[in-house]
């Protein structure tokens, strides 16, 4: 438990929002937000640990948190879905606890309304299908169950950018002077910029882990052209399936399995080579 707590850090954006609250004397709200955000992220982390995920660092943010894992896209999708929704689920019992406490002398009706507001605000914002929010992660995981990993990443990122543009415009029209909201939206834009800069690294990390993964996956045959290159074929890999590519070479049907494809991909001079040369 001590090792787990040592991995928790507070992001500067959250410090800024807490600082704004402190300067305006909203100490009770600061404490509420910290408790809500901490329990939200604790939900993610405990489920991740239950599945044996290796957690590097947990960063608390105004809308929840971000946990850096050693796993990336190669765990079963159902595990990732459960880890993702484990954070938002915590808000349900937190609201229930508040309803129980309001009947006691230690928790006033005003405390309850304030706690309910922050709880529901953080929950609703967190479920928006925008990266790196839980809603955005959930969309990415769900699409990766049916599309190749790279295509699902591109589409979920594109959707996230589109929705973020709309969210920014709506926020500026309705709440143009809401400082906390402006800080959070700016942070999310920075995260999108960093994601875009590192998009190739994310895919490389996925296939690197894939190459060493021992997870058993459903085998799926995929018919392709013999002229398809190694670099093009690697883009067709699914997180939930192990592909076996087959094509005609002369009068015979030839197969190239995913493991052989990955080995060729990591030889830089083989990335432009056609699959027919691997058979």
């Amino acid at each position: 438990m001590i090792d787990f707590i040592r991995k928790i850090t507070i992001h500067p954006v959250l410090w800024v929002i807490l600082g704004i609250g402190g300067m305006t004397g909203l100490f009770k709200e600061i404490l509420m937000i910290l408790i809500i955000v901490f329990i939200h992220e604790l939900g993610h982390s405990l489920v991740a640990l239950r599945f044996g995920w290796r957690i590097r660092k947990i960063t608390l943010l105004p809308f929840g948190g971000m946990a850096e894992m050693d796993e990336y896209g190669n765990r079963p999708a159902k595990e990732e879905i459960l880890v993702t929704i484990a954070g938002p689920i915590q808000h349900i019992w937190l609201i229930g606890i508040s309803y129980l406490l309001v009947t006691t002398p230690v928790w006033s009706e005003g405390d309850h309304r304030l706690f309910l507001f922050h709880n529901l605000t953080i929950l609703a914002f967190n479920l928006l299908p925008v990266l790196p929010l839980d809603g955005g992660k959930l969309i990415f995981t769900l699409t990766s169950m049916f599309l190749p990993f790279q295509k699902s990443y591109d589409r979920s990122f594109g959707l996230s950018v589109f929705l973020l543009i709309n969210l920014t415009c709506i926020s500026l029209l309705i709440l143009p002077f809401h400082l906390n909201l402006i800080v959070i939206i700016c942070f999310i834009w920075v995260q999108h910029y960093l994601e875009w800069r590192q998009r190739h690294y994310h895919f490389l990390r996925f296939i690197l882990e894939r190459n060493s993964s021992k997870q058993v996956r459903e085998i799926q045959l995929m018919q392709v052209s013999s002229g398809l290159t190694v670099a093009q074929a690697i883009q067709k890999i699914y997180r939930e399936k192990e592909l076996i590519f087959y094509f005609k070479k002369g009068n015979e049907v030839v197969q190239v399995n995913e493991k052989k494809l990955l080995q060729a991909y990591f030889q830089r001079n083989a990335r432009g080579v056609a699959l027919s040369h691997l058979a």
Side-chain angles (χ1 to χ4, degrees), residues 89-140:
I89 284 174
Q90 306 311 309
H91 296 272
I92 299 172
W93 70 264
L94 281 172
I95 291 170
I97 290 291
S98 184
Y99 272 106
L100 292 175
L101 287 176
V102 81
T103 60
T104 69
V106 300
W107 199 248
S108 69
E109 185 67 34
D111 293 333
H112 171 66
R113 285 198 298 268
L114 192 60
F115 189 77
L116 200 62
F117 170 77
H118 287 304
N119 228 314
L120 292 175
T121 300
I122 293 172
L123 173 60
F125 190 81
N126 200 261
L127 289 177
L128 292 173
V130 174
L131 295 168
L133 306 179
D134 288 336
K137 293 176 184 176
L138 199 57
I139 292 294
F140 172 46

Side-chain angles (χ1 to χ4, degrees), residues 135-161:
K137 293 176 184 176
L138 199 57
I139 292 294
F140 172 46
T141 304
L142 289 171
T143 55
S144 70
M145 294 173 68
F146 308 102
L147 296 173
F149 183 87
Q150 186 61 40
K151 184 177 285 187
S152 66
Y153 178 85
D154 291 341
R155 290 194 178 181
S156 57
F157 184 80
L159 174 64
S160 182
V161 171

Side-chain angles (χ1 to χ4, degrees), residues 21-22 51 54 71-72 85 87 129 152-153 177 199-200 210 237 249:
F51 287 128
R54 296 160 295 170
E71 285 78 15
Y72 186 77
I85 65 173
S152 66
Y153 178 85
F177 304 110
R199 64 193 185 282
H200 300 303
R210 180 75 164 217
I237 291 180
K249 188 176 182 180

Side-chain angles (χ1 to χ4, degrees), residues 73-78 141 144-147 206 210 215-219 237-242:
N74 284 293
R75 285 285 187 164
K78 63 179 182 180
T141 304
S144 70
M145 294 173 68
F146 308 102
L147 296 173
F206 166 70
R210 180 75 164 217
Q215 183 183 326
V216 178
R217 298 178 179 84
E218 176 189 349
I219 301 293
I237 291 180
Y238 287 74
R239 70 178 297 162
E240 293 284 281
K241 301 170 184 176
E242 184 171 337

